[in-house]
């Protein structure tokens, strides 16, 4: 009996699929597991926690994802990804990588995610990522990177998220991130940054989120944020700032959320938020504020949440406008009801939202 044409086609398709699977399994590194999923024309290579000391030299040609975290790889030699044209994701987190060859990622033009978190990288080679034209996410946290320069990021015109927390950065030089014209998220938390060049963020016109939490900033020069005028969220928590002036926030006309918690700020000028008319959330808890102008907060018409707790509030006549603001605002009541008087003695320990203006005196 002659088989039908349809059956022959099905059989031919099965043979092609079987040969493809055999080839993939043959090229799978010995210590790894290679999986092909029905809905993806590519192989997922799982090599995590396999004690690998070196980057494997052979992979299935259709490798789509490489998972190689938690091994003991120390270096990334040249051209390790050149033969993998379909590769989109590489995870090398928590290895022992110290050195990256300048051509390590040559040819990986379809790569979208590269995770190098938790290694021992001290320096990024010049133009090391220049072939990663479609990379969206670059994760470099928990390394020992001590400096960043624009030539490190050449070619990365589509990068949207750069994570550099928990490194050893002390300064941000001019034009440090200039090639990253599509960057939307920049995480620089938990470094040792003390100085930021006025042009450090040049080129980052698409940036929406900037995290500078847990650094050593004592001052922010006027105009530093002028080049990131689309920024929507700025985090300056856990620094050493003693003041916050309007000039520090110049250019942030689209800023919606500002976090400056746990600094040493003891006063705020009445015009501090004049460059940030779109603020919806302000967090200033954990500072050294004794008083602020409630009218300043009332003038920010879209303000929805204000966090001012854990400050040493002095409840005298100078805090009248803040008491009135708390009484009249529709902003988050729960947070504002956590404000307690520290002085003078007659009001110590009292919740601020229960004070009356006529009882707030200033002694000569």
């Amino acid at each position: 009996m002659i088989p039908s044409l349809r059956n022959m086609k099905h059989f031919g398709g099965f043979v092609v699929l079987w040969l493809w699977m055999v080839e993939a399994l043959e090229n799978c590194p010995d210590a790894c597991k290679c999986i092909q999923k029905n809905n993806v024309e590519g192989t997922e290579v799982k090599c995590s926690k396999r004690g690998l000391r070196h980057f494997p030299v052979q992979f299935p040609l259709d490798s789509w994802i490489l998972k190689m975290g938690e091994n003991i790889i120390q270096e990334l030699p040249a051209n390790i990804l050149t033969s993998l044209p379909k590769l989109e994701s590489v995870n090398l987190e928590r290895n022992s990588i110290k050195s990256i060859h300048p051509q390590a990622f040559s040819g990986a033009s379809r790569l979208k995610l590269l995770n190098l978190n938790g290694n021992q990288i001290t320096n990024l080679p010049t133009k090391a990522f220049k072939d990663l034209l479609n990379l969206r996410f670059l994760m470099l946290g928990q390394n020992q990177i001590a400096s960043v320069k624009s030539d490190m990021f050449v070619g990365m015109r589509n990068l949207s998220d750069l994570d550099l927390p928990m490194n050893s950065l002390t300064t941000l030089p001019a034009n440090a991130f200039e090639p990253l014209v599509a960057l939307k998220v920049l995480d620089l938390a938990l470094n040792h940054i003390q100085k930021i060049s006025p042009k450090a963020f040049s080129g980052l016109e698409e940036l929406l989120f900037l995290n500078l939490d847990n650094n050593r900033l004592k001052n922010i020069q006027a105009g530093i944020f002028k080049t990131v005028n689309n920024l929507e969220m700025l985090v300056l928590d856990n620094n050493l700032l003693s003041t916050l002036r309007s000039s520090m926030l110049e250019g942030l006309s689209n800023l919606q959320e500002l976090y400056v918690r746990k600094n040493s700020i003891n006063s705020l000028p009445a015009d501090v938020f004049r460059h940030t008319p779109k603020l919806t959330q302000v967090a200033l808890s954990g500072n050294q504020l004794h008083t602020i102008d409630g009218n300043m907060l009332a003038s920010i018409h879209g303000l929805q949440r204000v966090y001012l707790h854990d400050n040493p509030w002095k409840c005298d006549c100078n805090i009248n406008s803040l008491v009135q603001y708390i009484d009249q605002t529709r902003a988050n009541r729960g947070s504002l009801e956590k404000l307690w008087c520290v002085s003078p003695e007659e009001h110590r320990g009292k919740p601020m939202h229960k004070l009356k203006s006529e009882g707030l005196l200033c002694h000569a």
Side-chain angles (χ1 to χ4, degrees):
M1 180 177 179
I2 299 174
S4 68
L5 182 61
R6 178 180 295 179
N7 288 338
M8 290 178 68
K9 285 182 177 179
H10 284 168
F11 179 74
F14 173 78
V15 170
V16 171
L17 178 61
W18 181 78
L19 289 172
W20 171 55
M21 291 178 69
V22 168
E23 181 185 9
L25 292 173
E26 285 180 349
N27 291 328
C28 190
D30 291 340
C32 306
K33 184 177 181 180
C34 296
I35 301 173
Q36 285 141 343
K37 297 185 177 180
N38 295 331
N39 58 339
V40 179
E41 292 185 6
T43 298
E44 181 178 329
V45 184
K46 294 185 174 183
C47 305
S48 301
K49 299 182 181 180
R50 301 300 172 95
L52 295 175
R53 293 181 176 274
H54 304 284
F55 199 92
V57 296
Q58 192 174 35
F59 291 97
L61 293 179
D62 66 342
S63 294
W64 172 53
I65 295 175
L66 300 185
K67 295 182 177 179
M68 306 186 66
E70 299 183 68
N71 284 289
I72 46 178
I73 298 170
Q74 294 189 23
E75 62 177 348
L76 299 180
N79 305 312
I80 55 175
L81 306 178
T82 304
S83 62
L84 306 175
K86 292 186 176 183
L87 195 61
E88 293 189 9
S89 175
V90 175
N91 186 339
L92 284 160
E93 66 181 345
R94 294 196 290 278
N95 273 270
S96 303
I97 298 169
K98 295 179 181 178
S99 65
I100 301 173
H101 192 281
Q103 277 80 50
F105 308 115
S106 292
S109 59
R110 288 185 62 174
L111 198 66
K112 294 180 181 178
L113 183 148
L114 177 58
N115 187 348
L116 291 165
N117 280 339
N119 281 283
Q120 299 172 29
I121 302 167
T122 58
N123 184 53
L124 297 175
T126 299
K127 299 181 180 179
F129 307 112
K130 65 181 177 61
D131 287 348
L132 305 183
L133 305 179
N134 287 299
L135 198 71
R136 301 293 194 274
F137 305 94
L138 177 57
M139 304 169 186
L140 292 163
Q142 291 181 268
N143 279 282
Q144 299 161 27
I145 299 168
S147 64
V148 285
K149 301 176 184 177
S150 60
D151 57 13
M152 296 174 177
F153 305 113
V154 168
M156 305 179 77
R157 59 175 179 262
N158 286 305
L159 194 73
S160 62
D161 189 322
L162 175 59
D163 293 340
L164 275 163
M166 297 183 72
N167 274 281
S168 301
L169 300 174
T170 58
T171 62
L172 298 180
N175 309 311
F177 309 101
E178 194 170 29
L180 306 177
V181 294
L183 199 68
K184 289 180 168 55
V185 174
L186 178 56
D187 189 350
L188 296 164
L190 293 154
N191 277 275
H192 312 288
I193 299 169
Q194 301 176 39
K195 184 179 180 181
I196 301 176
S197 165
K199 295 183 179 180
F201 303 119
S202 292
L204 303 184
E205 296 179 5
E206 299 297 317
L207 197 67
L208 300 176
F209 173 76
L210 175 58
N211 189 357
L212 287 161
D213 179 23
N214 255 293
N215 278 282
R216 298 178 181 175
L217 293 169
K218 292 183 178 180
N219 185 43
I220 294 175
Q221 292 188 45
I224 278 180
F225 301 121
K226 270 187 174 182
T227 55
V228 288
N229 53 18
N230 283 309
L231 201 69
E232 294 181 357
M233 185 184 298
L234 174 60
V235 182
L236 293 165
D237 294 341
N238 297 291
N239 277 279
L240 304 171
L241 298 172
S242 59
T243 186
L244 191 65
R245 299 184 299 273
S246 61
S247 60
M248 294 179 176
L249 305 176
E250 190 175 356
L252 296 177
S253 57
N254 288 296
L255 194 69
Q256 296 176 26
E257 299 183 30
L258 175 63
Y259 300 90
V260 201
R261 296 169 291 195
K262 295 185 179 179
N263 278 264
S264 301
I265 297 171
N266 53 36
S267 65
L268 289 176
D271 68 342
V272 63
F273 298 125
R274 69 187 179 96
H275 295 300
T276 55
K278 294 185 180 179
L279 277 178
T280 61
Q281 187 157 300
V282 176
L284 288 158
S285 52
N287 279 281
Q288 295 298 314
L289 292 167
H290 297 282
T291 182
I292 62 172
D293 185 355
N295 297 321
M296 169 188 67
L297 298 174
S299 67
I300 308 173
H301 299 297
L303 197 59
Q304 298 171 11
R305 296 183 179 276
V306 186
Y307 299 97
L308 296 168
H309 54 278
D310 295 331
N311 279 284
W313 297 109
K314 185 177 182 181
C315 297
D316 60 12
C317 65
N318 293 309
I319 212 158
N320 237 320
S321 61
L322 180 58
V323 171
Q324 292 175 8
Y325 172 77
I326 294 171
D327 184 54
Q328 298 170 8
T329 185
R330 295 181 180 178
N332 57 315
R333 301 291 307 173
S335 174
L336 292 174
E337 289 177 1
K338 293 179 182 178
L339 307 189
W340 301 83
C341 301
V342 172
S343 65
E345 189 61 37
E346 61 264 29
H347 294 307
R348 180 189 295 274
K350 291 182 181 179
M352 195 182 296
H353 69 281
K354 292 188 176 181
L355 297 177
K356 302 297 182 183
S357 295
E358 55 270 19
L360 298 174
L361 305 175
C362 282
H363 302 287

